[in-house]
């Protein structure tokens, strides 16, 4: 999730641990420790692909957090003896592990078990920014900040934590429901596939984006919780699998394959071979696209995996999302606003 939401979640978790003893101190310490795992964005890596795939790695590892929490707790006992060791340890450890757990609920990919290297956890049941999740935490933070000793403030903060946790449960349930519907629709339309990835459209959990991956092609579709019996419409796109054999060095592509769990496509743009992460964005605009090689005089030359920007119209896209939530026919209109 975004860093502000992680700070707010850290505040709520810390308050649940130490709010009775020091309400305002707990929310500020919780916010501080809540953003620490995201400071890895300032680490300089060799290239853009490393920057993408090494974000949310060791700083988000439950194993590393469990090892570091007692050390940091002991240090905090000396620097800020507001709480005893036990309370400091529970505050720090719970803030960190819930931070990583929430990140794992998004589609980006979180390496919860680093230094072991299974594919990153990428549940994808909640968008990276979701105001319905964040706003109750804002209310809880402000309630404690303004009136820490008020009993109502206490219930607002704990209620916000319960409500947001329930919202995460709803997102998992809605994702599972759309997944079952998608599998049934694919069977009825006799579409063969290797795997599917279902994630919420921006800022909500009412509209879901469906990516269906096969070896040579992929499909994109959208499903609203209000679609009822409306038929699924899968749009097919080429995946560029034939370009894979042209790459003299496939290590970068293999890393992207591991990180995205095979949710990528290849394409040739003029003389450049590109790889695009299909999980974040929507056709034709995506957040992560990398150059891998250049074709020059019939020779394929490996390039450093530099991220290339893609033009996006966020306002039109969000307007389309809002329309599509309520009207399945909105899918007939191009997401960039043209027929």
């Amino acid at each position: 999730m975004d860093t502000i939401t992680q700070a707010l979640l850290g505040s709520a978790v810390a308050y649940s641990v130490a709010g009775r003893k020091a309400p305002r101190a707990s929310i500020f310490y919780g916010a501080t420790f809540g953003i620490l795992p995201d400071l890895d964005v300032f680490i300089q890596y060799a290239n853009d692909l490393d920057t993408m795939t090494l974000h949310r790695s060791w700083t988000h590892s439950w194993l590393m957090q469990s090892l570091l929490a007692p050390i940091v707790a002991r240090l905090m006992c000396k620097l800020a003896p507001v709480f005893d060791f036990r309370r400091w340890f529970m505050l720090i450890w719970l803030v960190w592990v819930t931070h990583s757990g929430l990140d794992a609920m998004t589609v980006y990919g979180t390496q919860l078990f680093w230094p072991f290297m299974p594919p990153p956890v990428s549940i994808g049941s909640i968008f990276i920014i979701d105001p319905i999740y964040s706003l109750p935490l804002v209310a809880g933070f402000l309630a404690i900040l303004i009136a820490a000793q008020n009993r109502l403030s206490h219930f607002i903060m704990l209620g916000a934590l319960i409500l947001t946790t329930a919202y995460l449960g709803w997102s998992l349930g809605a994702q599972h429901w759309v997944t079952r519907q998608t599998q049934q629709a694919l069977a009825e339309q006799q579409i063969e596939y290797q795997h599917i990835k279902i994630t919420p459209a921006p800022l909500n959990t009412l509209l879901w984006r469906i990516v269906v991956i096969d070896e040579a092609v992929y499909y994109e579709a959208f499903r609203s919780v209000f679609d009822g019996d409306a038929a699924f419409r899968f749009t097919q796109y080429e995946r560029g699998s034939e370009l894979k054999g042209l790459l003299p060095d496939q290590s970068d592509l293999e890393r992207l394959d591991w990180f995205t769990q095979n949710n990528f496509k290849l394409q040739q743009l003029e003389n450049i071979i590109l790889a695009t992460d299909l999980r974040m964005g929507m056709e034709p605009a995506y957040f992560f696209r990398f150059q891998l090689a250049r074709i020059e005089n019939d020779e394929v030359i490996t390039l450093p995996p530099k991220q290339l920007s893609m033009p996006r119209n966020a306002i039109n896209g969000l307007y389309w999302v809002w329309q599509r939530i309520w009207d399945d026919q909105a899918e007939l209109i191009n997401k960039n606003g043209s027929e």
Side-chain angles (χ1 to χ4, degrees), residues 195-339:
H195 56 87
I196 59 178
K197 192 69 177 179
I198 296 176
T199 57
L203 308 183
N204 78 102
T205 54
L206 299 176
L207 179 65
W208 295 79
R209 177 174 178 260
I210 303 162
V211 179
V212 182
I213 299 290
D214 202 11
E215 181 64 30
V217 299
Y218 66 98
Y219 305 84
E220 183 185 58
F222 290 84
R223 193 69 175 175
S224 168
V225 297
F226 302 116
D227 277 356
D229 295 330
F232 277 72
R233 288 187 290 271
F234 296 99
T235 304
Q236 179 179 308
Y237 301 94
E238 294 298 319
R239 203 172 164 213
S241 300
E242 69 281 357
L243 295 173
K244 185 176 182 180
L246 298 180
L247 297 173
D249 180 359
Q250 299 195 0
S251 58
D252 289 329
L253 184 61
E254 289 170 354
R255 185 166 186 82
L256 184 64
D257 183 20
W258 164 78
F259 190 76
T260 67
Q261 299 177 54
N262 197 34
N263 287 279
F264 70 90
K265 70 174 178 178
L266 295 172
Q267 61 186 130
Q268 183 176 337
L269 184 62
E270 297 179 348
N271 66 330
I272 302 296
I273 297 178
L274 309 171
T276 301
D277 183 345
L278 295 174
R279 302 170 305 155
M280 286 170 277
M282 58 181 70
E283 203 65 39
Y286 292 93
F287 288 98
F288 294 104
R289 180 176 65 161
F290 301 92
Q291 65 176 20
L292 295 182
R294 180 177 69 248
I295 301 175
E296 193 173 289
N297 298 324
D298 296 327
E299 180 183 1
V300 181
I301 303 171
T302 299
L303 296 175
K306 178 182 178 181
Q307 183 177 346
L308 303 178
S309 62
M310 297 189 72
R312 291 188 297 271
N313 190 322
I315 295 177
N316 281 354
L318 291 175
Y319 179 68
W320 180 87
V321 166
W322 177 255
Q323 287 184 310
R324 180 60 186 83
I325 290 173
W326 313 106
D327 181 10
D328 68 282
Q329 294 303 310
E331 196 164 352
L332 298 177
I333 301 175
N334 186 281
K335 294 183 286 297
N336 289 326
S338 60
E339 292 292 336

Side-chain angles (χ1 to χ4, degrees), residues 3 35-45 51 54-55 59:
T3 301
I35 65 176
L36 286 182
D38 283 342
L39 296 184
D40 66 340
V41 297
F42 296 107
I43 299 174
Q44 296 296 316
Y45 293 104
T51 298
L54 294 175
H55 176 47
T59 62

Side-chain angles (χ1 to χ4, degrees), residues 172-183:
L172 288 169
Q175 184 188 49
H176 177 72
W177 180 60
V178 174
T179 300
R180 294 291 299 272
Q181 285 190 321
T182 302
Q183 291 170 335

